[in-house]
Amino acid sequence: MTTEEVKAKAAEPKEKVKKAAAKPSELSVDKATTEMIERSRELGVETIFDRAASMKPCNIGVQGTCCKNCSQGPCRLPLTKDVEQGGEDTRKGLCGATPETIAARNFARMVAAGAAAHSDHGRGVAETFLAAARKETHDYKITDTKKLLEIAPDYGVEITVQGKDGEVLQRDIDEIAVEVGEKALGQWGQQTGEVLMVKRAPKPLYDNWKKLGVIPRGIDREIVEIMHRTHMGVDQDYENIVAQCTRASLADGWAGSMMATDLQDVLFGCPYPLKSSANLGILKEDHVNIIIHGHEPLLSEMIVTAAELPEMIDYAKQKGAKGIQLGGICCTANEILIRHGVPLAGNYLQQELAIITGAVEAMVVDVQCIMENVANVAKCFHTKIITTNPRAKIASGETVHIEFDEHTAFDDAKKIVKTAIDNFPNRSREVMIPKYSSPLIAGFSYEAINYHLGGTFRGSYTPLNDNIINGRIRGVAGVVGCNNARTVHDDAHLTIVKELIKNDVIVLTTGCNAITCGKAGLLTPEAAGVYCGPGLAEVCETVGIPPVLHMGSCVDNSRILMAATEVVKAGGLGKTIADLPAAGSAPEWMSEKAISIGQYFVASGVYTVFGVTMPVSGSPVFEDYLYKKLEGIYGGMWDLEVDPIKHAQKMIAHINKKRQALGLDKSRERVLMDMAARQKLEAA
Ligand code: MSK
């Protein structure tokens, strides 16, 4: 390369920075977001969008082949042209670790971190559940006794006893709750045997896990074992490492997350569809605005109740506000949306932007997905960042720590709400709230889907199966996950979901994808007529459901596993999840939790496509194992597709492949015929 060429290359990224910085419309497809990026630049407040332009990711880290698991490294093994073209791969770390060993270790550590995050969330819920069941706290109660009675047998807890005359009596609810809580909490520290919830899976799936020896023994044990195996000089067989990834990820999806969902539902109520709205436009200039951000509903449930207290509303009025407006960001948002209808303020990439509206009195955070920079942004405004969890404090900026304890939960929540109200008179900058928000319907637990499709007395997934079999619905997709500042905010989420529903694939959504869909109006029954193919539109219009069903937060991906299991049980679509015309997607993922989720979906038999990047490209051998060979082991496999349309088309092709295997390809052709054929289907 000549000196001139080197100089030109060095200048290239700076040009890109300038270009990205100049056009918010290139950074997001969400108008509220682009307006606030513009606003941040007017005010000179730096956000993640600016940092993403000025700092590029490490080229070797992106490939997953940088090992820093001992102090002789980091050993960097970037992909060479020769290897890319099929030449011999002689790359090795100092200890001799191959690219596939290194990529597998790094991948496994992501699974461990993701599974730990979800499962530690679940542990906190189980502890609070037990405290409520034992009446050690008055702030939480066992609310949904119907769900408690439904789940108790899965925890090995009897719900009936025999009376003196041999009659069957229901056991005392409190006793059942205590036993369920104890059994649940025991799952984290269990050392041998099997975690309980794997028995919920379709039998052939369970049998396959058993045959492969990947059933988790206990939640904590599997996460610790990943950390051990990936220590220098332990497991140096990438296939064996992936088997442990499966164990730990199943301990997430079919244990930690699944129990979190179960116990949250019993404590706070199983979600059923309700109306709300989404985007930054839900903030109100003349109200005390409180953003709740993070993941755990334990605190946010209390804040919702505290903010509704007449004494708090009066106090807000005394300070000059007209009331209190709550809004959520990330998965806490989804938790309080699906049970209380609290509106969504935004998804992951909008957290800094919410503060830049100048209208937020407090951003209350618990755990996960909270950017450290919110504290720096808040310094430029009057907003107080209130940390609440001893696991998650922020050293940057100025934050207030009000520690949340389940035994004093309601008092803690009142203190937090009062702190926000006291801050209302301190607004320091002009308020600018983007005028965008969209109506939505959320709260489709798998129980709610059952009810919507089959009715109260004959709730069943059979009508869904019938519509898949007759071809009105081509298949089912789970589209979930984060935003990622390395790609255009919300663009891939929306393009993929729209392409799927256009092709008659019904979408189940959670996490930040659900928030994106809410902001774009896809969570309304009316969206069916606008975006769906004729078959799916017909079903949605008849049943009155949106084509995209909001099922909750990241831990609620376990609801998708249960919905898939219910579809298998309803019959006619094969014997296990891998037989279903179904696929999974995380279009804009960024969190380690997404890797754990992806692995448990793959291990459950789901073809799972990720967007943006996969940190395995530095090892063609490992990549091939994840993208191709896992299908022969679990029925599901990973894939990466950055182009959103191709991404959706790959999912559709997989769904078509499964339809063909089930002999359903002919019925599908009928739907694509004329109106007469449709009428014939209606009459069927
Ligand atoms: S919040 S994990 S950015 S989905 Fe669950 Fe969104 Fe991803 Fe966090």
Side-chain angles (χ1 to χ4, degrees):
M1 209 181 257
T2 64
T3 317
E4 287 315 304
E5 282 170 335
V6 171
K7 276 188 191 160
K9 188 118 191 93
E12 206 176 89
K14 287 185 207 130
E15 276 311 304
K16 279 187 190 152
V17 171
K18 274 192 209 154
K19 202 175 159 204
K23 290 186 181 172
S25 61
E26 291 178 359
L27 302 173
S28 175
V29 296
D30 173 44
K31 288 219 170 78
T33 298
T34 55
E35 271 187 18
M36 293 316 297
I37 295 172
E38 200 75 66
R39 177 72 172 152
S40 73
R41 288 177 182 168
E42 274 167 29
L43 298 175
V45 178
E46 185 202 82
T47 70
I48 188 169
F49 295 97
D50 305 310
R51 292 188 294 277
S54 60
M55 188 177 71
K56 294 295 166 196
C58 162
N59 183 40
I60 308 165
V62 155
Q63 297 181 28
T65 45
C66 172
C67 182
K68 54 180 180 56
N69 294 9
C70 84
S71 71
Q72 301 170 100
C75 292
R76 295 164 300 153
L77 275 60
L79 196 60
T80 60
K81 269 253 149 21
D82 190 40
V83 173
E84 235 176 322
Q85 287 162 4
E88 195 191 345
D89 196 349
T90 54
R91 295 174 294 159
K92 282 190 184 72
L94 253 66
C95 68
T98 60
E100 47 273 24
T101 298
I102 292 172
R105 279 181 186 155
N106 289 334
F107 181 84
R109 286 192 169 201
M110 294 182 87
V111 171
H118 281 150
S119 299
D120 211 31
H121 167 163
R123 184 202 322 266
V125 174
E127 285 170 344
T128 303
F129 182 95
L130 197 50
R134 286 176 176 158
K135 311 270 189 281
E136 291 165 1
T137 167
H138 299 296
D139 295 339
Y140 298 98
K141 296 201 169 26
I142 302 302
T143 305
D144 193 336
T145 52
K146 181 171 175 280
K147 179 133 186 179
L148 176 66
L149 294 174
E150 276 164 13
I151 64 165
D154 294 343
Y155 290 77
V157 175
E158 296 283 347
I159 58 170
T160 55
V161 280
Q162 229 175 20
K164 271 189 253 149
D165 303 323
E167 73 277 32
V168 177
L169 303 171
Q170 190 191 290
R171 284 182 68 203
D172 178 67
I173 284 288
D174 291 338
E175 271 178 33
I176 295 171
V178 170
E179 277 182 37
V180 166
E182 285 170 348
K183 289 271 174 127
L185 204 49
Q187 295 286 285
W188 274 265
Q190 186 172 289
Q191 299 302 320
T192 54
E194 299 176 352
V195 294
L196 291 163
M197 296 302 118
V198 287
K199 282 272 170 60
R200 282 181 173 174
K203 185 146 188 322
L205 179 56
Y206 170 84
D207 289 344
N208 191 40
W209 291 337
K210 185 132 188 129
K211 188 184 85 197
L212 294 166
V214 294
I215 295 186
R217 294 154 290 189
I219 299 167
D220 291 348
R221 177 166 188 171
E222 306 310 349
I223 295 164
V224 168
E225 191 167 315
I226 284 194
M227 297 313 286
H228 179 194
R229 287 198 196 202
T230 57
H231 182 276
M232 192 269 149
V234 186
D235 201 345
Q236 289 150 148
D237 174 342
Y238 64 94
E239 295 188 10
N240 205 38
I241 293 172
V242 172
Q244 183 56 23
C245 289
T246 298
R247 271 218 198 102
S249 69
L250 294 179
D252 173 356
W254 290 90
S257 281
M258 193 168 274
M259 291 192 296
T261 297
D262 273 357
L263 303 182
Q264 285 169 187
D265 283 356
V266 176
L267 279 176
F268 308 126
C270 185
Y272 282 89
L274 42 68
K275 282 187 186 164
S276 189
S277 52
N279 218 338
L280 291 169
I282 62 101
L283 298 173
K284 293 186 181 143
E285 182 163 1
D286 52 10
H287 280 53
V288 172
N289 291 295
I290 305 175
I291 296 280
I292 315 175
H293 175 20
H295 277 77
E296 297 182 350
L298 299 174
L299 166 68
S300 52
E301 282 283 328
M302 292 295 123
I303 291 181
V304 172
T305 312
E308 284 169 354
L309 288 173
E311 69 191 69
M312 285 295 170
I313 296 166
D314 287 347
Y315 189 56
K317 287 180 178 163
Q318 280 172 37
K319 296 284 174 181
K322 288 203 172 140
I324 302 169
Q325 177 65 48
L326 296 183
I329 295 233
C330 282
C331 279
T332 299
N334 290 320
E335 297 282 6
I336 50 178
L337 165 75
I338 60 175
R339 296 197 181 85
H340 301 284
V342 171
L344 302 166
N347 51 13
Y348 167 73
L349 279 179
Q350 291 178 285
Q351 54 190 284
E352 293 163 307
L353 306 179
I355 299 170
I356 293 169
T357 61
V360 175
E361 275 55 57
M363 178 175 274
V364 187
V365 301
D366 51 45
V367 291
Q368 300 166 25
C369 304
I370 299 138
M371 291 187 214
E372 185 162 350
N373 199 55
V374 289
N376 294 322
V377 174
K379 269 200 304 196
C380 308
F381 297 85
H382 74 301
T383 307
K384 285 195 188 306
I385 302 293
I386 304 178
T387 57
T388 57
N389 194 298
R391 303 181 194 93
K393 296 187 177 181
I394 300 178
S396 295
E398 282 168 33
T399 59
V400 181
H401 187 73
I402 301 179
E403 192 140 322
F404 172 71
D405 183 305
E406 75 252 28
H407 298 96
T408 53
F410 196 45
D411 287 340
D412 298 337
K414 283 196 281 189
K415 201 167 158 191
I416 288 168
V417 173
K418 189 170 174 298
T419 304
I421 296 171
D422 284 335
N423 200 26
F424 182 75
N426 299 332
R427 286 189 184 175
S428 52
R429 292 208 193 238
E430 189 193 341
V431 168
M432 197 198 116
I433 301 171
K435 302 282 173 245
Y436 302 99
S437 72
S438 297
L440 62 85
I441 295 180
F444 288 91
S445 54
Y446 77 88
E447 292 90 338
I449 295 175
N450 210 26
Y451 158 74
H452 259 267
L453 291 167
T456 317
F457 300 110
R458 54 185 176 85
S460 152
Y461 275 66
T462 305
L464 173 63
N465 286 29
D466 287 348
N467 280 301
I468 295 173
I469 292 164
N470 69 29
R472 287 188 181 97
I473 296 178
R474 183 191 297 264
V476 182
V479 188
V480 306
C482 326
N483 301 129
N484 186 314
R486 299 293 177 196
T487 188
V488 181
H489 172 238
D490 284 352
D491 182 36
H493 279 310
L494 290 178
T495 310
I496 290 165
V497 169
K498 284 181 185 169
E499 185 69 12
L500 289 168
I501 61 177
K502 187 175 103 186
N503 285 282
D504 294 317
V505 176
I506 192 166
V507 172
L508 310 178
T509 179
T510 62
C512 287
N513 176 275
I515 301 174
T516 303
C517 291
K519 291 186 294 174
L522 297 175
L523 303 183
T524 60
E526 294 73 30
V530 181
Y531 298 105
C532 293
L536 179 59
E538 189 183 344
V539 173
C540 291
E541 278 158 12
T542 309
V543 185
I545 55 170
V548 183
L549 302 179
H550 187 320
M551 297 188 86
S553 66
C554 292
V555 293
D556 292 332
N557 284 316
S558 61
R559 296 191 202 275
I560 299 182
L561 295 176
M562 289 307 296
T565 302
E566 291 298 318
V567 170
V568 172
K569 275 196 213 152
L573 291 172
K575 293 192 166 61
T576 185
I577 293 175
D579 295 336
L580 300 176
S585 161
E588 300 178 24
W589 78 282
M590 62 86 201
S591 156
E592 289 163 315
K593 289 178 288 174
I595 295 289
S596 178
I597 293 166
Q599 182 63 21
Y600 72 64
F601 269 99
V602 167
S604 301
V606 181
Y607 170 57
T608 304
V609 193
F610 271 36
V612 193
T613 183
M614 271 295 279
V616 297
S617 60
S619 169
V621 173
F622 187 55
E623 200 176 43
D624 188 66
Y625 187 65
L626 293 186
Y627 295 177
K628 296 198 179 111
K629 302 217 170 102
L630 285 188
E631 188 177 21
I633 302 169
Y634 299 116
M637 71 286 204
W638 287 87
D639 204 352
L640 167 70
E641 181 51 67
V642 177
D643 180 290
I645 292 288
K646 284 190 198 153
H647 185 120
Q649 285 301 335
K650 279 183 164 185
M651 295 169 75
I652 293 165
H654 179 82
I655 286 169
N656 288 344
K657 182 176 94 178
K658 293 294 173 183
R659 290 189 67 86
Q660 200 172 15
L662 290 163
L664 301 176
D665 38 336
K666 298 227 162 47
S667 56
R668 174 75 212 148
E669 281 160 24
R670 288 171 64 204
V671 160
L672 297 174
M673 287 168 70
D674 56 13
M675 186 56 77
R678 282 189 67 203
Q679 282 164 351
K680 205 168 145 196
L681 277 174
E682 271 166 28

